Amino acid sequence: MAIVQERYKVSPYLLFFLLQSSQVGTGILNFQTKIATGAGQDAWVSVLFVGLSLQVLLFMGLIVIKNSSGENLASFHIDVFGKFIGKTLNVGLVFYFLLTSFLSLYNYVDLLQTFGFERIPAWELTFGICLVLYYIVLGGFRVVTGVAFWGVVLPLVFIPPFLITLQYLELENIMPFFNHGVKDYVISGKESIFMFMGFECVFIYYPFIKKGDKTAKWAHLGLLATTLLYFVLTILTFLYYTQGKLLRSQWATLTMIKVISFTIVESFEFIFIFVFFIVIVSSGCILLWSATRTLKISFNFKPSWSLFGILLAFFLLNIGLENIMYGRKLNGISSYIGLFFLYFYIPFLFIVSLVKKRIGRKRGGSEAT
């Protein structure tokens, strides 16, 4: 595998922004309703547990890629399972990245049409977003990293206005505590998987990070920051809504933001949606770059051509799925795929990597004797 040149690498601390940016998408605007279907007002427990459990899976995944020739998951597949099976697994990995990025685009276009541009056809909005994605991803990993940085920093301007909602919070909305069964917590945990998906891209772009003693620390901190973000937002939402009202709300976060108004800005949620564009673009760029990079490693596809083909497919698929029910089914399928990939496939690869490393040591010892 080709070694990544130093001029293409980025500083380790940028892993913090890459991890967080790849996980935050449109799911942050409506995840509360989904997770409340299980454990209700106790669903925050499931969110916290899932986020912390992903720290273990991130650790496992980093161990896996460090045992590969190219320090990425695509190379590990080929090294361990051979070219045919390895490349087949990489195709599945590309599909996983593309499904996650497509749903981010699809849900954001639906959001724009619901709140701001109901008279603008979906194909026009999709075409504009695809052009932006193509331009950024074509610039390379350093450009994608820069967009990811701003995708985390710019939304921070919404924290002071968001404090206005604190006066509407009611403690009784989140009580009583811990009055649900294990099955309910599992249901809420399964529903929360979708909003954490995306950090797995680190297993592809890790060779583009400058190495140091504490490089992995920034990845774990980024994942922890995302967990705390979802945890705090879950608590605030459950304090704001009654469970009955929350289950009837499609975009819980945006509906809550509607109470924010100023003299010169009455509909604050519109500003939020437009600024949120950088968040959607940054997560989509990371996923698309990871997909094109995997295709290049596996089949030596030129990234510019594979990116063009992917975005063309996105454009055609997005304008073809006008019925929102298809989108909901895809979101459900994506959650199940993410659940399998994170909690079954990564531990499996971790065990395989340990066996591979042990066999390598035995062979090295036998050759030495």
Side-chain angles (χ1 to χ4, degrees):
M1 298 295 174
I3 299 176
V4 179
Q5 298 181 23
E6 197 69 18
R7 61 194 179 99
Y8 295 124
K9 296 183 178 182
V10 299
S11 299
Y13 76 91
L14 290 172
L15 260 176
F16 175 88
F17 300 97
L18 285 165
L19 260 290
Q20 190 171 12
S21 182
S22 61
Q23 288 184 297
V24 179
T26 52
I28 198 174
L29 304 178
N30 62 359
F31 75 93
Q32 303 95 323
T33 303
K34 297 177 181 178
I35 65 174
T37 56
Q41 77 278 4
D42 284 334
W44 59 269
V45 177
S46 300
V47 173
L48 195 60
F49 176 79
V50 170
L52 295 178
S53 67
L54 292 180
Q55 295 283 353
V56 179
L57 298 177
L58 175 60
F59 171 78
M60 290 181 177
L62 292 177
I63 295 296
V64 169
I65 63 175
K66 287 177 182 178
N67 289 327
S68 68
S69 59
E71 276 194 307
N72 59 72
L73 187 55
S75 299
F76 181 84
H77 282 157
I78 297 174
D79 292 343
V80 175
F81 301 106
K83 288 186 176 181
F84 179 76
I85 297 178
K87 290 181 179 180
T88 302
L89 292 173
N90 286 342
V91 170
L93 186 63
V94 170
F95 174 79
Y96 177 70
F97 290 146
L98 295 184
L99 179 60
T100 306
S101 58
F102 170 75
L103 287 175
S104 179
L105 170 65
Y106 179 86
N107 292 329
Y108 186 67
V109 171
D110 177 50
L111 174 68
L112 289 176
Q113 289 189 309
T114 301
F115 282 89
F117 301 102
E118 64 274 2
R119 296 185 179 181
I120 298 180
W123 75 265
E124 293 184 13
L125 297 172
T126 305
F127 182 74
I129 297 174
C130 286
L131 280 181
V132 175
L133 292 173
Y134 183 80
Y135 177 77
I136 294 174
V137 177
L138 205 62
F141 183 72
R142 293 177 66 88
V143 176
V144 172
T145 303
V147 174
F149 173 82
W150 289 111
V152 174
V153 173
L154 284 181
L156 295 178
V157 301
F158 292 112
I159 294 180
F162 202 81
L163 296 177
I164 295 176
T165 62
L166 296 180
Q167 59 184 308
Y168 302 103
L169 305 185
E170 298 290 344
L171 183 60
E172 58 266 22
N173 289 340
I174 202 172
M175 297 181 70
F177 297 120
F178 311 116
N179 68 332
H180 291 83
V182 175
K183 181 180 179 180
D184 296 324
Y185 290 112
V186 171
I187 293 174
S188 293
K190 180 182 70 68
E191 293 295 335
S192 66
I193 291 295
F194 179 76
M195 62 189 187
F196 284 100
M197 289 169 58
F199 83 94
E200 309 91 327
C201 295
V202 69
F203 303 143
I204 299 297
Y205 62 69
Y206 193 74
F208 287 79
I209 309 298
K210 294 179 181 179
K211 300 304 181 290
D213 295 335
K214 299 181 180 180
T215 301
K217 174 192 71 174
W218 292 106
H220 286 283
L221 287 176
L223 182 55
L224 178 62
T226 307
T227 302
L228 293 177
L229 171 64
Y230 285 128
F231 171 70
V232 171
L233 188 56
T234 300
I235 294 293
L236 290 177
T237 307
F238 287 178
L239 288 172
Y240 182 85
Y241 292 97
T242 63
Q243 285 297 302
K245 185 178 293 185
L246 177 61
L247 293 175
R248 293 193 300 268
S249 178
Q250 183 179 359
W251 301 97
T253 304
L254 282 178
T255 305
M256 186 165 53
I257 290 175
K258 280 187 175 183
V259 302
I260 303 174
S261 63
F262 302 97
T263 304
I264 58 175
V265 181
E266 184 174 352
S267 299
F268 187 77
E269 68 273 12
F270 290 121
I271 297 178
F272 182 87
I273 292 171
F274 297 143
V275 176
F276 200 74
F277 176 73
I278 186 65
V279 177
I280 298 300
V281 167
S282 60
S283 62
C285 287
I286 295 172
L287 289 160
L288 286 171
W289 186 92
S290 301
T292 57
R293 180 65 181 176
T294 304
L295 289 173
K296 183 179 180 180
I297 294 172
S298 304
F299 307 101
N300 200 27
F301 286 171
K302 192 175 181 179
S304 58
W305 286 104
S306 58
L307 178 62
F308 178 80
I310 289 169
L311 290 177
L312 178 61
F314 276 15
F315 174 76
L316 296 175
L317 188 59
N318 198 44
I319 63 177
L321 296 178
E322 294 184 359
N323 191 332
I324 193 65
M325 294 304 298
Y326 292 117
R328 291 178 180 176
K329 289 180 180 179
L330 282 177
N331 280 304
I333 293 172
S334 178
S335 296
Y336 281 108
I337 294 176
L339 178 65
F340 172 80
F341 181 82
L342 292 173
Y343 287 94
F344 293 93
Y345 191 61
I346 290 180
F348 167 73
L349 292 182
F350 177 70
I351 296 173
V352 171
S353 68
L354 294 181
V355 174
K356 175 179 177 291
K357 189 175 181 179
R358 185 172 182 179
I359 293 176
R361 286 178 178 175
K362 286 185 176 181
R363 289 181 178 176
S366 61
E367 290 177 358
T369 55

